[in-house]
Amino acid sequence: MAANRARGQRAGLTRQAVLQAALQLVDGEGMKALSMRRLGAELGVEAMTVYHHVPNKSALLDGVIEQVVAEAVPPEFGAATWREDLSSYAYALVTALGAHPHAVPLLLSRPAMTPRNLRTMEAVVGMLHEAGFPLPRTLDILYSLTSFVVGHAAAQAGRVDGAGSIATVDPDAYPLLVGAARQAGENAADARFDFALHALLAGFEGELSDVPTVV
């Protein structure tokens, strides 16, 4: 038994440990550094050993997304109001993405339908449906919210700050734009996130008020 394990798996190595090591590698050196061979070296095993825990590179990338998203899951959806739950999830997700900026492009490019991520989506959909949203609308809300959060995180990861750039252009040619950007201040990106999230949630709430009441 020990010989078989030596050929296939290192004692104590798990899928979770592999994915955590992969995320740490991405955090430290970016996506280009992530390969099965390099990951095996980081873990002290042969590259083939990694395949016992993640079958291919695609599954590894999905697993990296899973690790990031897992950091954003509130303890229990449905414990508060749907607006509070969605707000908490949005802030937790943007914080997690901010902690792993090199992983943000992955969330823009692949759905990562791992069982763990699907359970999170199921919980959000269930919470929203219980609050009264029609079942198809729950997915509209989930995707709208996550697209907004990931887009904001991508801009921050790329150090793209429209207001910061606008503040440096010619104020004589664009007085209103420059004035607005300068008045926004240093924390414009955070304030903009708060504003947009509030607007999204208010829009969702308006949608809920239009749902016919079933007698």
Side-chain angles (χ1 to χ4, degrees), residues 71-117:
E71 295 182 13
V73 179
E76 181 181 359
F77 287 112
T81 67
W82 69 266
R83 280 194 64 154
E84 291 170 332
D85 279 344
L86 279 188
S87 181
S88 296
Y89 182 54
Y91 281 111
L93 183 56
V94 79
T95 298
L97 294 175
H100 307 288
H102 291 305
V104 172
L106 275 181
L107 278 83
L108 293 169
S109 63
R110 55 194 307 119
M113 297 298 184
T114 67
R116 190 172 185 176
N117 282 358

Side-chain angles (χ1 to χ4, degrees), residues 152 154-168 181 184-190 192:
H152 176 85
Q156 295 305 105
R159 300 297 187 267
V160 178
D161 187 346
S165 299
I166 290 172
T168 63
E186 295 181 358
N187 297 321
D190 292 339
R192 198 174 302 119

Side-chain angles (χ1 to χ4, degrees), residues 11 31 51 57 62 71 79 86 98 100 107 112 118 128 137 141-143 146 154 166 182 186 189 196:
M31 287 302 308
Y51 285 101
K57 182 66 175 291
D62 287 346
E71 295 182 13
L86 279 188
H100 307 288
L107 278 83
L118 288 171
L128 291 170
R137 188 63 76 210
I141 292 172
L142 175 59
Y143 282 120
T146 53
I166 290 172
R182 290 179 177 176
E186 295 181 358

